[in-house]
């Protein structure tokens, strides 16, 4: 049994912390929002009085926060309260630069650290089936892996500090652009008289096959569990997809990588979000594509 500090009890963090408790770990958790702490406490997560208190005697401290600024602020606050030998793991999706800065903060205190962003969404967080993409030293990974296994089923070491975040934004660049491509294909098919099911039956067994089509189809019908069958209730929100595409764009700019499609996808999700649709599942982008296609 490990003693684990957990900071950030939002949509993802609360069920992740609850799974640690269910697995028998001793957890002390904190969030700046009282409602988030109350909700987590109701699912059995012990609450600490402040962020630093979660680190007292902790073997591992996990953060699950909105962005890089919050992660750096919390790590700056909590690191001095950690005992020697504590492992810090950030599971948030943040920019690569901030992730590497967080590792540097930990290293300056002699504390081991990992960046370990996730894919799998709130459903994966609840079911403890998340995929963790992990950056950091091999020894830190070996220590963190058993803890991450309490919350996920696939734990992949991606290399040095920050590489977990690199893997995450590269994956979501593929996901964000492929969802738009699949949506464009369905709208084009509709306008030319092709049924959704016929396109699905062909493309799912042909070279257009991809996860956005076969696991998360943006039209209702072919994949019954996809958000399209539930009025595009998220799932993974368009706001979070936009966030990740912006992170990918910033990272690409920082190293001079050409990601023209990723940049265009970010613009499309931005327009969709500005129409007040940011809270919908990102696969609802098909409605935007369809609307933009009206009039002829
Ligand atoms: P969320 O907004 O629901 O939760 C974030 C929590 O952090 C909130 O409860 C907030 O009060 C808390 N917080 C903010 N600043 C804090 C501070 N200084 N100290 C303590 N707590 C603080 O977000 P989420 O959906 O749980 O996502 C968390 C991270 O996981 C994000 O980086 C997101 O991009 C990533 N992510 C989310 C999903 C998803 O489907 N929701 C999927 C993959 C990755």
């Amino acid at each position: 049994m490990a003693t684990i500090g957990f900071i950030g009890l939002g949509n993802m963090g609360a069920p992740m912390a609850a799974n640690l408790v269910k697995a028998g770990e001793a957890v002390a958790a904190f969030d700046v929002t009282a409602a988030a702490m109350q909700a987590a406490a109701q699912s059995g997560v012990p609450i600490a009085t402040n962020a630093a208190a979660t680190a007292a005697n902790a073997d591992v401290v996990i953060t699950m926060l909105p962005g890089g600024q919050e992660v750096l602020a919390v790590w700056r606050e909590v690191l001095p309260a950690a005992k020697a030998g504590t492992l810090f793991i950030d599971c948030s999706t943040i920019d690569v630069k901030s992730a590497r800065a967080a590792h540097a903060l930990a290293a300056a205190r002699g504390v081991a650290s990992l960046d370990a962003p996730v894919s799998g969404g709130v459903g994966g967080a609840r079911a403890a089936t998340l995929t963790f993409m992990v950056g950091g030293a091999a020894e830190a990974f070996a220590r963190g892996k058993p803890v991450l296994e309490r919350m996920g089923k696939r734990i992949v070491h991606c290399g040095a500090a920050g590489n977990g975040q690199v893997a995450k934004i590269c994956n979501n660049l593929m996901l964000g652009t492929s969802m738009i491509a699949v949506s464009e294909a369905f709208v084009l098919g509709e306008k030319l008289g092709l049924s959704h099911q016929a396109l699905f039956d062909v493309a799912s067994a042909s070279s257009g096959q991809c996860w956005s089509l076969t696991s998360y189809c943006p039209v209702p019908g072919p994949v019954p569990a996809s958000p399209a069958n539930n009025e595009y209730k998220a799932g993974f929100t368009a706001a979070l997809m936009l966030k990740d595409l912006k992170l990918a764009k910033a990272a690409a700019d920082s190293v001079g990588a050409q990601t023209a499609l990723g940049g265009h996808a970010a613009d499309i999700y931005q327009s969709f979000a500005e129409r007040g649709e940011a809270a919908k599942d990102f696969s609802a982008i098909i409605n935007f594509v369809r609307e933009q296609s009206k009039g002829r």
Side-chain angles (χ1 to χ4, degrees):
M1 182 172 97
T3 303
I4 301 174
F6 201 109
I7 303 163
L9 299 168
N11 293 321
M12 297 292 290
M16 289 165 72
N19 281 330
L20 290 171
V21 173
K22 270 186 222 148
E25 309 289 8
V27 175
F30 182 75
D31 192 290
V32 277
T33 310
M37 289 195 284
Q38 269 162 22
Q42 271 164 14
S43 35
V45 176
I47 301 298
T49 47
N50 55 51
T54 66
N57 300 316
D59 303 307
V60 177
V61 172
I62 298 174
T63 45
M64 191 52 165
L65 298 164
Q69 268 188 326
E70 290 86 355
V71 171
L72 287 172
V74 167
W75 280 39
R76 273 195 196 98
E77 180 188 345
V78 177
L79 273 164
K83 66 178 184 190
T86 304
L87 170 67
F88 271 58
I89 308 177
D90 179 46
C91 295
S92 329
T93 302
I94 68 172
D95 59 288
V96 176
K97 201 171 153 210
S98 295
R100 291 187 172 146
H103 279 279
L105 283 176
R109 293 215 147 246
V111 166
S113 57
L114 296 170
D115 54 293
V118 303
S119 89
V122 175
R126 289 198 185 117
T129 56
L130 293 169
T131 293
F132 286 88
M133 298 150 249
V134 190
E139 316 82 71
F141 178 73
R143 282 176 58 201
K145 191 167 179 255
V147 174
L148 298 178
E149 278 167 346
R150 304 294 206 188
M151 302 178 284
K153 66 171 187 198
R154 221 164 158 248
I155 324 293
V156 183
H157 191 208
C158 299
N163 280 14
Q165 298 294 350
V166 177
K168 169 79 185 177
I169 55 172
C170 289
N171 180 73
N172 279 12
L173 186 151
M174 291 190 254
L175 176 62
T177 52
S178 68
M179 183 54 79
I180 294 172
V182 169
S183 297
E184 288 183 355
F186 273 106
V187 170
L188 176 61
E190 275 166 28
K191 287 181 82 83
L192 294 170
L194 180 64
S195 78
H196 291 162
Q197 193 63 49
L199 177 55
F200 181 86
D201 289 345
V202 171
S204 63
S206 303
S207 45
Q209 189 272 336
C210 64
W211 189 90
S212 292
L213 176 71
T214 55
S215 295
Y216 218 76
C217 191
V219 293
V223 177
S226 79
N229 300 280
N230 191 18
E231 293 169 354
Y232 299 96
K233 194 163 170 276
F236 186 64
T237 62
L240 285 172
M241 177 52 80
L242 176 58
K243 170 191 168 183
D244 291 0
L245 288 169
K246 283 182 175 170
L247 291 175
K249 175 86 174 62
D253 288 347
S254 76
V255 291
Q258 279 296 314
T259 54
L261 286 183
H264 194 183
D267 293 341
I268 293 171
Y269 284 104
Q270 178 81 51
S271 304
F272 186 56
E274 280 166 5
R275 286 190 345 175
E277 311 269 23
K280 289 226 171 91
D281 188 79
F282 78 105
S283 61
I285 201 71
I286 191 168
N287 295 331
F288 184 72
V289 174
R290 192 178 282 121
E291 202 178 294
Q292 298 290 305
S293 309
K294 271 190 190 147
R296 282 216 303 139

